[in-house]
Amino acid sequence: MSAQQRSALFIDGANLYAATKALGFDIDYRRLLKEFQARDNLIRAFYYTAMVEDQEYSSIRPLIDWLDYNGYRVVTKPAKEFTDSAGRRKIKGNMDIELAIDALELAPRIDHMVLFSGDGDFRSLVEAMQRRGVRVTVVSTIQTQPAMIADDLRRQADEFIDLVHLIPRVGRDPGERGVRSQGDGPPRSPRELPRDVPERPARPNPGLETRYGIRQGDDAPEQ
């Protein structure tokens, strides 16, 4: 990996949570960001999750707020609640489409995609990114029974990283309490997030600037 290689993280929140829970550890998201900043020229880190909006309090809200102020682009949508045939309350929230669209739109601007998910539905996305010249690393685990990653997704990826090997570098100290204990210092405001690095040549796209905050050329004014 090289500092000149531009990368982006795409985190399937629900899938990563299930994997870390099965392995018995918690992610320190500040350490995770620093880990992949050290590996590549990291230009974006996305976190995807569905949320139940009618709940008075959501246990995931503190994490979402923390991520949003500390270098991640959080993408959410309302989860759908329904009752199955047995009368049990179920909640459904799939973010696959949102993640896939974002990845394909950023494909011309990155060299390396890091996907935190074991969902086999992403195999076609990984293949599509590879056709566009993007190397894809998938992060999940095979250390659980059953494995948390689909075999066809693992085979399609250019590289597979098992979460077990990341625990020493991105795991949270069990003694820490609260989301904001995941790093030093108070959360930053959105204006204090790192500015974008100069981008490789690409056709101007106002939609990218609006959605991702990416400047559309070297003559773009400083913000």
Side-chain angles (χ1 to χ4, degrees):
M1 298 184 183
S2 166
Q4 301 303 313
Q5 177 177 255
R6 298 181 181 182
S7 68
L9 308 185
F10 296 84
I11 301 173
D12 178 352
N15 195 280
L16 178 59
Y17 172 77
T20 56
K21 185 177 180 180
L23 292 173
F25 83 102
D26 293 325
I27 293 282
D28 179 330
Y29 283 94
R30 189 186 295 277
R31 294 183 68 195
L32 185 148
L33 198 62
K34 289 181 178 179
E35 171 69 21
F36 284 88
Q37 285 172 336
R39 294 176 179 229
D40 281 342
N41 180 8
L42 184 65
I43 65 170
R44 282 291 177 267
F46 294 94
Y47 185 95
Y48 300 84
T49 187
M51 299 186 66
V52 180
E53 291 190 331
D54 61 349
Q55 288 184 344
E56 183 176 346
Y57 173 79
S58 172
S59 59
I60 198 174
R61 173 57 67 182
L63 172 62
I64 295 304
D65 290 342
W66 189 93
L67 293 173
D68 209 23
Y69 278 99
N70 286 274
Y72 289 83
R73 293 297 177 92
V74 178
V75 182
T76 66
K77 73 177 181 183
K80 295 181 179 179
E81 185 176 344
F82 65 97
T83 303
D84 65 12
S85 57
R88 292 171 297 191
R89 177 175 172 268
K90 298 284 187 177
I91 296 175
K92 181 180 181 181
N94 191 309
M95 300 293 294
D96 292 5
I97 295 297
E98 289 79 5
L99 190 156
I101 291 174
D102 287 346
L104 291 170
E105 285 188 343
L106 282 182
R109 297 178 166 275
I110 61 176
D111 308 296
H112 182 205
M113 171 188 185
V114 183
L115 174 64
F116 286 78
S117 182
D119 190 341
D121 290 343
F122 285 124
R123 190 205 64 80
S124 295
L125 170 63
V126 171
E127 185 178 19
M129 294 294 284
Q130 291 167 333
R131 288 199 301 268
R132 288 161 171 78
V134 178
R135 189 169 65 87
V136 181
T137 295
V138 173
V139 182
S140 186
T141 185
I142 58 173
Q143 302 300 320
T144 57
Q145 293 295 332
M148 296 297 295
I149 184 170
D151 188 62
D152 55 350
L153 176 63
R154 184 184 173 196
R155 289 173 182 270
Q156 186 67 47
D158 295 294
E159 182 182 1
F160 168 69
I161 298 177
D162 199 300
L163 276 168
V164 167
H165 301 142
L166 289 178
I167 292 176
R169 297 193 291 274
V170 305
R172 184 156 62 93
D173 185 340
E176 294 180 358
R177 300 183 64 182
V179 173
R180 292 185 182 179
S181 64
Q182 295 179 359
D184 297 328
R188 296 171 291 170
S189 69
R191 291 185 180 180
E192 295 174 311
L193 297 180
R195 288 185 176 181
D196 297 325
V197 295
E199 301 157 19
R200 69 185 189 184
R203 182 181 299 176
N205 185 336
L208 284 177
E209 184 169 356
T210 299
R211 185 171 175 81
Y212 305 117
I214 293 177
R215 294 185 296 172
Q216 296 298 305
D218 294 336
D219 57 348
E222 291 291 334
Q223 299 185 9

